[in-house]
Amino acid sequence: MSLLESIQSPADLRLLPADELPRLAEEIRDFLIEAVTRTGGHLGPNLGVVELTIALHRVFDSPKDRILFDTGHQSYVHKLLTGRQDFSRLKAAGGLSGYPSRAESEHDVIENSHASTVLGYADGLAKANELQGRDDHSVVAVIGDGALTGGMAWEALNNIAEARNRPLVIVVNDNERSYAPTIGGLANHLATLRTTQGYERFLSWGKEALQRTPGVGAPIYEALHGAKKGFKDAVAPQGMFEDLGLKYIGPIDGHDPQALESALKRAKGFGGPVIVHCLTEKGRGYRPAELDEADHFHQVGAIDPITCEPLRPSSGISWTSVFGGELVEIGRERSDVVAITAAMLQPVGLGRFAKEFPDRIYDVGIAEQHAAVSAAGLATGGLHPVVAVYATFLNRAFDQVLMDVALHRCGVTFVLDRAGVTGTDGASHNGMWDMSILQVVPGLRIAAPRDADQLRAELREALEVDDAPTVVRFPKAEVGPPIPAIERIGGVDVLMRTAEPGTAPDVLIVAVGTMAPACLDAAALLTADGLTATVVDPRWVKPVDPALTELAARHRLVVTVEDNGRVGGVGSAVAMALRDAEIDIPTRELGITQEFLAHASRSEILDQLGLTGPGVAAQTAGFAKAIGLGRRRQQEAVPTGLEAQRGI
């Protein structure tokens, strides 16, 4: 049995002799490389926190002591040390989550994988311990240097520092990176700490040297020690933390088990808020990750661990790459177009733009709120900024989109990657909220392209708008083949008509963005089942095009299909537009149920939600039957259409 296999709980880990820890760390790294390259997942961050996580679980007593991970993508080692060593279905349906999960273990506390939140949780938990007299319970918050660029982290630090006697340990996992290298003033501050001799070591040396000097040595030492802040700042600027009232320990070698345990024990016994600054190497122990300058294998797909070639090579191109390529073309044509990212240059497709136009790209760190307001300033200054973020992360900047960008009628384009069902990253990464949240923003316009050609066209259309915010959204997926329109009415593309010329069609199916293929399949099935249909793509789903309401008036039922939450989304907006136009036609909205979705593949989740061709067809047929529409073909021998799908 390996050392790792013998560790089924933190209690087992604490019984392990200290001289066995390097071997355990090596086994964990070997396990991670083998397991995560097979399934895909966050490899680099976890390779970097092996010794740190071991030390945390040896010094603190989880779950009595709460160990919290910001974002949580670096929690794989934590999972291994708390009895979860089956990684065969990591991030797949029925397997381990890629993030902490309360359903998996009592050792997991925070499931929200949005960055910079952990210090707020820690502040609340420390206050709860204090009020309920749990003096023997510790709270430990592990936060990366990248997450410390987020404003929420500093809001929390400001509150944490108010209580000098309330125990709370903050471990800064400093690998100089979030996805990409960490940027900003705080990053520079931490870099200074990394490269400056530690104050405590300097002071210790000074004490020994000065006290050997007869007569004047001791008084000079005391004077220097009394002038702690100024002297300390001159030697190493950790005074920034101590000015807030936070004890600082470090920098600590994040791969030295003995040094880590010593520092954490000191922090645990301090009796107030303490920062333990640990220097780690992302991707440590796996040479390809160490050499990967882009992101040190932050997240990988299933790859060969030796060659690093994909085990399942992609046969197509991604939505992200289409966007990235088109933005470069636009950048060559328009010098006023600039781009903003929130610490995710490569994941959102801005790498090529940054390479070609390095003076027109701004990485603001994990600070989506600032990104939106800075974009408003850029627009006010005569430029057209493109803010590229994951759809779920725009939630964090809603107030700024509303009150800073929209209120001031700024021409800012938000490009939302990972819109709709994302899948394997779990509940907090699904981009299922944007088309509902943004419906309430006056003047804002939303485009949902159905294919690569429409993405290119709608991005250009968005960049022509200089008096309002625009949004272009697309999923985490490969782009399918082009879907041509047979006609454009107003701004609405007609994709299919199954009714005979001169006859009134039964159902208008409004296909939002990438739901178009499923809706076309559904229309074919409905036609075989005796219901005629028209499939349209609105292209711009906010505001509702008047041409869409006019089209709806020629049908007997309207069904909207969107890769977004059903509540308050495009379907609700279409229904309201029909009521406002006094068009009395039944409407039904298909979309994502308003719940936090468990991790699974995008296709699995869409199938469960009924957002596939057969699923849309079956639900639409049910709606039609409920209002007395359509006819069912009576064929005893060979069932067709939906009957075949239902097994009738």
Side-chain angles (χ1 to χ4, degrees):
M1 176 184 291
S2 68
L3 275 182
L4 178 57
E5 289 171 330
S6 72
I7 306 296
Q8 293 301 309
S9 73
D12 296 331
L13 178 64
R14 288 190 287 273
L15 294 174
L16 202 65
D19 61 2
E20 296 273 34
L21 297 180
R23 179 181 154 202
L24 175 62
E26 183 179 356
E27 288 185 9
I28 289 173
R29 285 195 170 90
D30 289 344
F31 177 95
L32 290 173
I33 293 166
E34 180 184 353
V36 180
T37 56
R38 186 169 59 246
T39 63
H42 289 95
L43 183 56
N46 286 282
L47 292 173
V49 296
V50 174
E51 290 86 359
L52 174 57
T53 309
I54 290 171
L56 284 167
H57 277 294
R58 281 172 63 86
V59 173
F60 296 96
D61 183 14
S62 177
K64 184 190 77 172
D65 295 334
R66 302 296 190 98
I67 301 175
L68 318 175
F69 294 91
D70 193 84
T71 310
H73 59 277
Q74 75 285 53
S75 63
Y76 294 4
V77 184
H78 164 77
K79 288 176 186 268
L80 290 172
L81 299 176
T82 53
R84 289 166 283 175
Q85 296 182 11
D86 181 2
F87 274 47
S88 60
R89 293 189 55 78
L90 178 67
K91 299 176 66 177
L96 289 178
S97 167
Y99 296 89
S101 168
R102 292 181 177 181
E104 285 180 11
S105 173
E106 62 181 345
H107 296 279
D108 292 2
V109 183
I110 305 173
E111 298 189 7
N112 179 2
S113 52
H114 288 195
S116 308
T117 63
V118 72
L119 299 184
Y121 279 100
D123 179 49
L125 281 166
K127 288 172 178 173
N129 284 346
E130 180 181 58
L131 285 174
Q132 298 182 52
R134 296 193 290 254
D135 297 333
D136 61 338
H137 288 53
S138 297
V139 177
V140 187
V142 182
I143 185 168
D145 57 307
L148 271 178
T149 63
M152 283 188 65
W154 290 92
E155 292 173 19
L157 281 173
N158 188 47
N159 282 270
I160 288 167
E162 282 188 351
R164 304 289 177 100
N165 298 316
R166 184 183 297 137
L168 198 165
V169 178
I170 300 167
V171 177
V172 177
N173 171 34
D174 180 5
N175 60 21
E176 306 181 57
R177 290 177 173 267
S178 47
Y179 282 81
T182 307
I183 56 88
L186 175 67
N188 293 335
H189 174 81
L190 290 174
T192 304
L193 288 175
R194 283 192 291 269
T195 57
T196 305
Q197 280 289 338
Y199 166 77
E200 302 295 345
R201 283 170 287 167
F202 185 93
L203 199 59
S204 175
W205 167 84
K207 180 177 181 179
E208 292 175 9
L210 288 170
Q211 288 185 340
R212 288 196 299 268
T213 306
V216 297
I220 292 174
Y221 169 77
E222 293 302 327
L224 289 174
H225 194 272
K228 183 175 182 179
K229 174 182 176 294
F231 178 62
K232 191 173 217 175
D233 283 351
V235 179
Q238 62 260 50
M240 180 179 72
F241 293 116
E242 295 204 346
D243 282 347
L244 287 170
L246 301 167
K247 174 68 175 174
Y248 174 90
I249 299 174
I252 307 297
D253 181 350
H255 304 293
D256 182 334
Q258 201 169 10
L260 285 165
E261 288 192 29
S262 175
L264 292 171
K265 285 175 182 175
R266 287 160 55 203
K268 182 178 181 180
F270 180 64
V274 187
I275 284 185
V276 181
H277 181 192
C278 301
L279 307 182
T280 63
E281 298 174 22
K282 194 172 184 179
R284 185 181 177 93
Y286 184 34
R287 194 64 177 158
E290 292 174 345
L291 295 175
D292 177 36
E293 283 301 315
D295 64 4
H296 293 285
F297 283 24
H298 179 86
Q299 183 167 214
V300 298
I303 61 172
D304 184 294
I306 306 300
T307 66
C308 300
E309 292 297 319
L311 295 181
R312 295 181 289 275
S314 171
S315 57
I317 60 173
S318 68
W319 286 91
T320 305
S321 63
V322 173
F323 156 68
E326 189 64 17
L327 189 64
V328 169
E329 293 298 322
I330 293 170
R332 291 169 181 161
E333 300 165 15
R334 291 180 51 175
S335 62
D336 64 317
V337 172
V338 297
I340 300 177
T341 175
M344 301 183 75
L345 185 75
Q346 299 295 338
V348 297
L350 291 179
R352 289 173 57 192
F353 190 91
K355 185 175 182 180
E356 186 153 343
F357 309 107
D359 57 338
R360 289 159 58 187
I361 183 84
Y362 302 97
D363 187 341
V364 301
I366 301 176
E368 290 84 1
Q369 291 173 297
H370 172 67
V373 180
S374 181
L378 285 162
T380 302
L383 301 173
H384 194 116
V386 176
V387 182
V389 296
Y390 285 6
T392 184
F393 296 151
L394 189 69
N395 299 355
R396 314 182 79 177
F398 172 75
D399 182 65
Q400 289 68 37
V401 172
L402 178 66
M403 291 298 174
D404 296 291
V405 181
L407 176 65
H408 295 91
R409 298 180 176 84
C410 295
V412 175
T413 297
F414 295 92
V415 174
L416 306 187
D417 203 322
R418 270 70 165 174
V421 171
T422 300
T424 56
D425 279 329
S428 64
H429 269 58
N430 287 314
M432 57 181 279
W433 324 100
D434 57 288
M435 289 197 292
S436 299
I437 292 172
L438 296 175
Q439 287 291 340
V440 304
V441 179
L444 180 142
R445 311 174 196 185
I446 303 175
R450 67 181 181 267
D451 59 22
D453 291 341
Q454 289 304 306
L455 171 54
R456 296 184 184 100
E458 289 165 31
L459 178 62
R460 287 178 175 273
E461 291 168 21
L463 285 164
E464 291 300 319
V465 178
D466 60 6
D467 60 352
T470 51
V471 174
V472 181
R473 74 188 303 267
F474 49 79
K476 178 185 179 181
E478 293 180 357
V479 182
I483 302 173
I486 59 175
E487 183 181 5
R488 179 168 292 178
I489 301 174
V492 178
D493 279 354
V494 180
L495 306 182
M496 177 185 281
R497 286 194 179 96
T498 65
E500 294 293 330
T503 63
D506 295 318
V507 184
L508 176 67
I509 302 177
V510 181
V512 176
T514 56
M515 293 292 97
C519 292
L520 291 170
D521 290 345
L525 289 168
L526 289 167
T527 300
D529 205 46
L531 284 169
T532 57
T534 305
V535 180
V536 298
D537 169 16
R539 302 182 73 253
W540 288 86
V541 296
K542 180 185 185 303
V544 176
D545 194 319
L548 184 60
T549 58
E550 294 173 11
L551 271 168
R554 305 171 198 164
H555 294 74
R556 299 167 185 172
L557 171 66
V558 176
V559 176
T560 59
V561 186
E562 60 191 295
D563 190 5
N564 183 76
R566 292 183 61 229
V567 177
V570 176
S572 298
V574 169
M576 181 182 291
L578 291 174
R579 290 194 299 272
D580 290 347
E582 297 184 352
I583 298 172
D584 188 16
I585 294 176
T587 61
R588 298 292 185 272
E589 300 85 37
L590 300 183
I592 302 172
T593 53
Q594 221 68 42
E595 61 186 38
F596 295 111
L597 305 174
H599 61 277
S601 70
R602 173 175 163 84
S603 60
E604 287 173 324
I605 293 175
L606 291 175
D607 185 56
Q608 293 166 11
L609 294 169
L611 297 178
T612 60
V616 171
Q619 292 174 86
T620 301
F623 301 149
K625 183 177 180 181
I627 63 172
L629 263 185
R631 60 182 177 80
R632 193 169 291 279
R633 293 183 177 181
Q634 302 297 324
Q635 294 185 3
E636 295 181 1
V638 183
T640 61
L642 287 178
E643 294 177 348
Q645 291 291 334
R646 296 168 180 162
I648 298 175

